[in-house]
Amino acid sequence: MPVYYAESIGETISAIGEKLVPNLLSFVVQFLSFLVLLLVVFFFAYKPVKKILNKRADYIQDEINQAEEKNALATTSVNEAKELVSSSKVKASEIIKNAESQGQEKYDAMILEAKQEVADMKKAAEQDIARAKEDAIQDIRSEMVNVALSASKEILKREVDEKDNAKLAEDFIDQLN
């Protein structure tokens, strides 16, 4: 048994040696096949894939550049909008202040006009009262003259002419005042 075992080990080692160290012709053919395969892959796969990847990289870079430009434009637009809103607020506050001052001016003018109208109405009323007083005094004088004439006719039992009548009435009125 031991011999059989040694023979078997020797065959195993030689089989392993043959498999580890290949045949030179077989090695050269396999190596050339590998090189041909590498060249085929290089020309038909690597270059087109590299070209596609370069195109893709250029496309992505263009997109990034456009996005940056759009971002800058958007930032500019936002800043302009903020400035516009700010200036609009300032204008709105100015308009409100102007409206308030104009309203106050109109209010003051209306108050002044109303006071002037009241003063005018008071003056007109005072003039009407004075006129009415004068008219009343004239009416009272006329009535007094008529009463005095009637009384004088009764007292004198005669007809008094116009001159006498006027003189008597005037004297009577003067005595009353």
Side-chain angles (χ1 to χ4, degrees):
M1 271 212 82
V3 175
Y4 176 72
Y5 179 69
E7 231 176 76
S8 159
I9 290 177
E11 288 176 12
T12 306
I13 289 177
S14 71
I16 291 174
E18 285 179 13
K19 289 185 181 180
L20 282 176
V21 179
N23 185 353
L24 188 58
L25 181 63
S26 173
F27 175 74
V28 170
V29 170
Q30 285 180 358
F31 184 71
L32 289 176
S33 296
F34 177 72
L35 286 178
V36 169
L37 182 65
L38 277 178
L39 289 174
V40 167
V41 168
F42 180 76
F43 286 110
F44 290 110
Y46 177 73
K47 281 188 175 183
V49 168
K50 187 175 179 182
K51 191 182 282 184
I52 290 171
L53 289 176
N54 285 337
K55 278 185 181 179
R56 181 74 179 155
D58 291 343
Y59 173 77
I60 290 171
Q61 188 61 42
D62 288 343
E63 289 295 317
I64 289 172
N65 291 341
Q66 287 178 2
E68 287 174 353
E69 289 174 7
K70 288 179 182 178
N71 188 19
L73 182 63
T75 303
T76 305
S77 297
V78 166
N79 291 337
E80 289 174 359
K82 285 180 181 178
E83 289 176 13
L84 184 63
V85 167
S86 176
S87 67
S88 296
K89 286 180 181 179
V90 169
K91 287 180 183 179
S93 66
E94 288 176 4
I95 290 171
I96 289 171
K97 286 179 184 177
N98 288 341
E100 287 174 350
S101 66
Q102 288 176 355
Q104 186 64 38
E105 289 173 5
K106 286 183 180 182
Y107 172 78
D108 293 342
M110 290 173 69
I111 293 294
L112 185 64
E113 185 179 332
K115 285 181 180 179
Q116 185 64 40
E117 286 180 13
V118 167
D120 291 346
M121 289 171 64
K122 184 177 177 183
K123 188 176 180 181
E126 288 173 353
Q127 289 175 350
D128 286 346
I129 290 171
R131 208 173 313 118
K133 185 177 178 182
E134 287 295 320
D135 289 346
I137 290 173
Q138 287 298 328
D139 288 345
I140 291 172
R141 280 188 179 177
S142 296
E143 191 62 34
M144 286 173 55
V145 167
N146 288 339
V147 169
L149 283 178
S150 296
S152 69
K153 278 184 189 179
E154 286 295 321
I155 293 176
L156 295 176
K157 297 279 186 197
R158 68 177 177 100
E159 197 60 41
V160 181
D161 67 355
E162 291 288 323
K163 283 185 181 180
D164 291 338
N165 197 11
K167 181 155 176 24
L168 285 173
E170 288 296 322
D171 288 341
F172 179 72
I173 292 172
D174 286 339
Q175 285 179 355
L176 287 177
N177 286 333

mmCIF file of all heavy atoms in Angstrom, residues 19 25 60 62 78 98 103 161 165 172:
data_model
loop_
_atom_site.group_PDB
_atom_site.id
_atom_site.type_symbol
_atom_site.label_atom_id
_atom_site.label_comp_id
_atom_site.label_asym_id
_atom_site.label_seq_id
_atom_site.Cartn_x
_atom_site.Cartn_y
_atom_site.Cartn_z
ATOM 1 N N LYS A 19 -0.720 21.380 -15.339
ATOM 2 C CA LYS A 19 -1.785 22.374 -15.347
ATOM 3 C C LYS A 19 -1.267 23.761 -14.960
ATOM 4 O O LYS A 19 -1.761 24.774 -15.452
ATOM 5 C CB LYS A 19 -2.902 21.954 -14.410
ATOM 6 C CG LYS A 19 -3.671 20.794 -14.955
ATOM 7 C CD LYS A 19 -4.838 20.450 -14.097
ATOM 8 C CE LYS A 19 -5.567 19.263 -14.693
ATOM 9 N NZ LYS A 19 -6.706 18.855 -13.958
ATOM 10 N N LEU A 25 2.842 26.768 -26.789
ATOM 11 C CA LEU A 25 2.040 27.090 -27.960
ATOM 12 C C LEU A 25 0.638 27.494 -27.551
ATOM 13 O O LEU A 25 0.106 28.490 -28.031
ATOM 14 C CB LEU A 25 2.009 25.877 -28.912
ATOM 15 C CG LEU A 25 1.220 26.089 -30.200
ATOM 16 C CD1 LEU A 25 1.863 27.182 -31.036
ATOM 17 C CD2 LEU A 25 1.148 24.803 -30.966
ATOM 18 N N ILE A 60 -23.781 67.797 -19.135
ATOM 19 C CA ILE A 60 -23.999 68.096 -17.713
ATOM 20 C C ILE A 60 -23.359 69.432 -17.348
ATOM 21 O O ILE A 60 -23.955 70.250 -16.637
ATOM 22 C CB ILE A 60 -23.469 66.945 -16.828
ATOM 23 C CG1 ILE A 60 -24.363 65.714 -16.996
ATOM 24 C CG2 ILE A 60 -23.412 67.361 -15.369
ATOM 25 C CD1 ILE A 60 -23.823 64.463 -16.337
ATOM 26 N N ASP A 62 -22.819 71.963 -19.396
ATOM 27 C CA ASP A 62 -23.666 73.010 -19.990
ATOM 28 C C ASP A 62 -24.903 73.254 -19.135
ATOM 29 O O ASP A 62 -25.308 74.402 -18.918
ATOM 30 C CB ASP A 62 -24.078 72.626 -21.418
ATOM 31 C CG ASP A 62 -22.922 72.718 -22.400
ATOM 32 O OD1 ASP A 62 -21.906 73.366 -22.068
ATOM 33 O OD2 ASP A 62 -23.044 72.139 -23.509
ATOM 34 N N VAL A 78 -35.059 88.771 -8.174
ATOM 35 C CA VAL A 78 -35.553 88.850 -6.787
ATOM 36 C C VAL A 78 -35.117 90.169 -6.157
ATOM 37 O O VAL A 78 -35.909 90.846 -5.494
ATOM 38 C CB VAL A 78 -35.057 87.637 -5.961
ATOM 39 C CG1 VAL A 78 -35.255 87.866 -4.478
ATOM 40 C CG2 VAL A 78 -35.780 86.378 -6.393
ATOM 41 N N ASN A 98 -49.690 112.393 1.915
ATOM 42 C CA ASN A 98 -50.269 113.479 1.113
ATOM 43 C C ASN A 98 -51.786 113.508 1.245
ATOM 44 O O ASN A 98 -52.379 114.576 1.371
ATOM 45 C CB ASN A 98 -49.874 113.331 -0.360
ATOM 46 C CG ASN A 98 -48.421 113.661 -0.606
ATOM 47 O OD1 ASN A 98 -47.780 114.323 0.198
ATOM 48 N ND2 ASN A 98 -47.883 113.187 -1.708
ATOM 49 N N GLY A 103 -56.509 115.929 3.233
ATOM 50 C CA GLY A 103 -57.757 115.769 3.985
ATOM 51 C C GLY A 103 -57.828 116.758 5.128
ATOM 52 O O GLY A 103 -58.885 117.363 5.385
ATOM 53 N N ASP A 161 -105.889 170.042 9.975
ATOM 54 C CA ASP A 161 -105.306 169.852 8.651
ATOM 55 C C ASP A 161 -104.023 169.020 8.753
ATOM 56 O O ASP A 161 -103.544 168.712 9.842
ATOM 57 C CB ASP A 161 -105.075 171.212 7.972
ATOM 58 C CG ASP A 161 -104.020 172.039 8.657
ATOM 59 O OD1 ASP A 161 -103.530 171.595 9.724
ATOM 60 O OD2 ASP A 161 -103.625 173.071 8.121
ATOM 61 N N ASN A 165 -101.736 168.182 11.966
ATOM 62 C CA ASN A 165 -101.793 166.773 12.347
ATOM 63 C C ASN A 165 -100.387 166.211 12.468
ATOM 64 O O ASN A 165 -100.057 165.536 13.448
ATOM 65 C CB ASN A 165 -102.598 166.017 11.290
ATOM 66 C CG ASN A 165 -103.055 164.670 11.802
ATOM 67 O OD1 ASN A 165 -102.944 164.386 12.979
ATOM 68 N ND2 ASN A 165 -103.549 163.852 10.896
ATOM 69 N N PHE A 172 -96.024 164.607 20.006
ATOM 70 C CA PHE A 172 -96.449 163.522 20.880
ATOM 71 C C PHE A 172 -95.398 162.424 20.958
ATOM 72 O O PHE A 172 -95.047 161.946 22.030
ATOM 73 C CB PHE A 172 -97.806 162.960 20.383
ATOM 74 C CG PHE A 172 -98.300 161.833 21.209
ATOM 75 C CD1 PHE A 172 -98.783 162.048 22.504
ATOM 76 C CD2 PHE A 172 -98.266 160.536 20.717
ATOM 77 C CE1 PHE A 172 -99.240 161.000 23.247
ATOM 78 C CE2 PHE A 172 -98.742 159.481 21.474
ATOM 79 C CZ PHE A 172 -99.218 159.707 22.754
#
